[in-house]
Amino acid sequence: MTQKVAVLGTGKIGEALLSGMIRGGWAPSDLMVTTRRPERAEQLRTRYGVTPVTNPEAAKSADTLILTVKPQDMGTLLTELAPHTPADRLVISGAAGIPTAFFEERLPAPTPVVRVMTNTPALVDEAMSVISAGTHASAAHLTRAEEIFATVGKTMRAPESQQDAATALSGSGPAYFYFLVEAMTDAGILLGLPRDKAHDLIVQAAIGAATMLRDSGEHPVTLRENVTSPAGTTINAIRELENHGVRAALIAALEAARDRSRELASGNG
């Protein structure tokens, strides 16, 4: 790879991207990082061989800027970057809830901006990254973003109008599964299992079920029916889930997450 890439605000997700890009063929000498703390910068230099720089230096030198700072810090970062960012730099935002127009208004026109909603499984190379183009981003810019984020999982292109839904479903999605595993582990303890055994049983069931969903090509209803024998244990459990409105609760929860994403996008933090 000859494109120089800078990760600005290199936290856990930014570091996962660095690691993934290096494994994907990027030379460490073509990768730059910015951090708030000098000791963090030195840690990344030692660990990956990348070059710590300042934010203005990254804007001047890198072909692609990946902005991974917290959403509330993005305005300040863009103010710092704007005087130093040529209009042909690709800017990739990983900040939840911030539309591409926010960046386009603060950077020199016509800066290409790509918005990416990834999730924490990037830390184990199992991310789902949803990629949307801003006004000035071309197909080539989307492809470059895909090449970067494909090193830590799967990617999907979507219109920016679908990003709030993607945030609710995928960006926040891992938390719902952790919540479910927590509840099922507690149920296992109630049924008489030690916590560690209950945890291992549920985690392996989750991994197995997810793998079957991904690899079998079967509809989830079909896979569920394959486990659901007449008058058996599973159908009794499913009846209780329906009686307690679990399906409706999940739909309401995702709607609430989408609505909050819209609030953040409109600046109502």
Side-chain angles (χ1 to χ4, degrees):
M1 302 289 180
T2 57
Q3 291 275 339
K4 290 189 177 295
V5 178
V7 180
L8 281 66
T10 312
K12 289 184 178 180
I13 295 295
E15 183 174 353
L17 281 172
L18 281 179
S19 176
M21 283 188 282
I22 291 170
R23 286 181 279 110
W26 272 263
S29 57
D30 290 330
L31 300 176
M32 291 170 269
V33 296
T34 77
T35 66
R36 283 184 174 178
R37 296 181 290 111
E39 60 271 25
R40 172 64 171 162
E42 187 56 35
Q43 181 187 63
L44 293 168
R45 184 207 299 270
T46 302
R47 188 174 294 170
Y48 300 104
V50 297
T51 304
V53 294
T54 65
N55 290 326
E57 287 171 343
K60 294 174 186 176
S61 304
D63 301 289
T64 300
L65 306 176
I66 305 175
L67 312 187
T68 63
V69 302
K70 295 177 180 178
Q72 60 267 31
D73 297 329
M74 194 62 77
T76 301
L77 175 62
L78 293 176
T79 299
E80 185 180 5
L81 292 178
H84 309 285
T85 305
D88 62 350
R89 292 286 184 266
L90 171 59
V91 173
I92 300 176
S93 166
I98 302 183
T100 54
F102 181 90
F103 299 86
E104 292 165 351
E105 291 166 0
R106 290 162 175 78
L107 294 172
T111 299
V113 180
V114 172
R115 178 176 172 183
V116 181
M117 181 68 252
T118 192
N119 55 17
T120 55
L123 300 172
V124 292
D125 292 346
E126 291 290 350
M128 184 72 238
S129 301
V130 182
I131 298 174
S132 302
T135 304
H136 309 297
S138 66
H141 295 129
L142 288 174
T143 297
R144 197 186 309 171
E146 285 174 332
E147 289 171 349
I148 292 170
F149 282 84
T151 64
V152 292
K154 293 191 174 184
T155 65
M156 174 190 298
R157 293 188 188 186
E160 189 169 12
S161 61
Q162 296 177 1
Q163 277 284 1
D164 293 320
T167 297
L169 201 64
S170 181
S172 300
Y176 313 146
F177 286 95
Y178 302 146
F179 183 87
L180 181 62
V181 168
E182 178 188 0
M184 292 178 72
T185 300
D186 286 344
I189 295 168
L190 179 67
L191 298 175
L193 289 169
R195 177 173 293 276
D196 59 342
K197 289 186 177 180
H199 175 83
D200 289 348
L201 287 169
I202 295 304
V203 169
Q204 187 56 38
I207 293 171
T211 302
M212 290 186 71
L213 280 167
R214 183 188 64 191
D215 297 346
S216 70
E218 298 284 355
H219 193 280
V221 171
T222 301
L223 294 174
R224 179 180 59 76
E225 288 177 344
N226 289 343
V227 188
T228 310
S229 304
T233 60
T234 306
I235 193 61
N236 273 274
I238 296 294
R239 179 186 63 185
E240 289 302 315
L241 291 171
E242 294 289 9
N243 286 343
H244 286 79
V246 172
R247 188 188 303 265
L250 283 171
I251 292 172
L254 267 68
E255 286 181 325
R258 178 209 57 197
D259 293 346
R260 181 56 179 155
S261 182
R262 286 177 175 172
E263 289 176 1
L264 292 171
S266 65
N268 297 322

